[in-house]
Structures are given as structure tokens and as C-alpha cells.
Amino acid sequence: QVQLVESGGGLVQPGGSLRLSCAASGSIFTGDVMGWYRQAPGKERELVATITWGSTNWADSEKGRFTISRDNVKNTVYLQMNSLKPEDTAVYYCYLKLFRGVRIYDYWGQGTQVTVSS
């Protein structure tokens, strides 16, 4: 059973930085997709960024301020968020997509709150 454990959220002032981490248990391969989504109050969950085989996929608004990286030995994905804005306030969810033969499995973390406020 795969589990995702997130950490690193919190309260930060506008212009500040945070680094989110998500560690996955179980057998994770480089070709599996790891990444981050977020959900602001009253809004739908949206893509932040994903990474697989070293290739990244971004929501355009975060590209340049955020960096996604992955440690395949530790099965951990990171999201470095810089120049944070109040509109970045949301619950950030770790995401994992496993490809096992013809089957695809989606997993979500429990979410970590990021609040950007002065």
C-alpha cells in the first residue's frame, strides 16, 4: 500500500519562501509521476507541477517562481516556492501516479496548508 507523507507547509509573508516535501512509501519508479496540486477555498483543485523521468509539467502561473525536484532514492518530491503571493494560499496536495503494466493507480497525500499573509 502506497502512502504519501507531506511536510513543509505553514504561514509565510508575501515575498517569502517555503519548501514542501512529500515522501512516498513502497516501490516507486522513475517513470511514475510525482507532483503537486493545490486547492484554494471555494476553488477546484488545480495542477501546480509534476515530474517524471526528469521532465516537468507546469501550470504557467507558477513557472519561474516555483521549482519542482525529485529524489528517486528517497522517493521524495519537493516543491520550492519563492516570491509567494497571497493568491498562492491553498491546501497543497502531493500526487503520485503509478504505472504498473496496463493499470494506472492514483494516490493523494493528506494535504498541507500554505498561507501567504502579512
Side-chain angles (χ1 to χ4, degrees):
Q1 182 70 16
V2 173
Q3 289 187 324
L4 302 175
V5 179
E6 301 155 340
S7 61
L11 173 64
V12 63
Q13 293 186 342
S17 298
L18 281 175
R19 188 193 195 207
L20 305 183
S21 300
C22 173
S25 63
S27 296
I28 312 299
F29 303 126
T30 306
D32 295 324
V33 177
M34 298 187 77
W36 297 92
Y37 283 70
R38 68 184 181 185
Q39 188 166 18
K43 295 187 177 181
E44 294 187 352
R45 192 172 297 188
E46 63 178 7
L47 169 72
V48 177
T50 59
I51 183 169
T52 179
W53 288 112
S55 176
T56 57
N57 180 39
W58 287 95
D60 289 340
S61 60
E62 284 71 38
K63 198 172 183 178
R65 296 190 299 124
F66 295 0
T67 302
I68 189 170
S69 60
R70 179 171 171 172
D71 185 329
N72 292 318
V73 174
K74 296 181 179 180
N75 290 341
T76 300
V77 63
Y78 305 95
L79 185 68
Q80 177 67 43
M81 304 185 291
N82 299 326
S83 302
L84 282 162
K85 306 174 182 179
E87 50 264 43
D88 294 317
T89 295
V91 178
Y92 283 70
Y93 294 92
C94 181
Y95 172 70
L96 172 65
K97 181 187 290 291
L98 301 182
F99 299 90
R100 297 295 181 266
V102 298
R103 296 186 176 183
I104 298 174
Y105 301 90
D106 291 319
Y107 295 93
W108 294 93
Q110 79 281 3
T112 185
Q113 177 69 47
V114 172
T115 302
V116 184
S117 175
S118 55

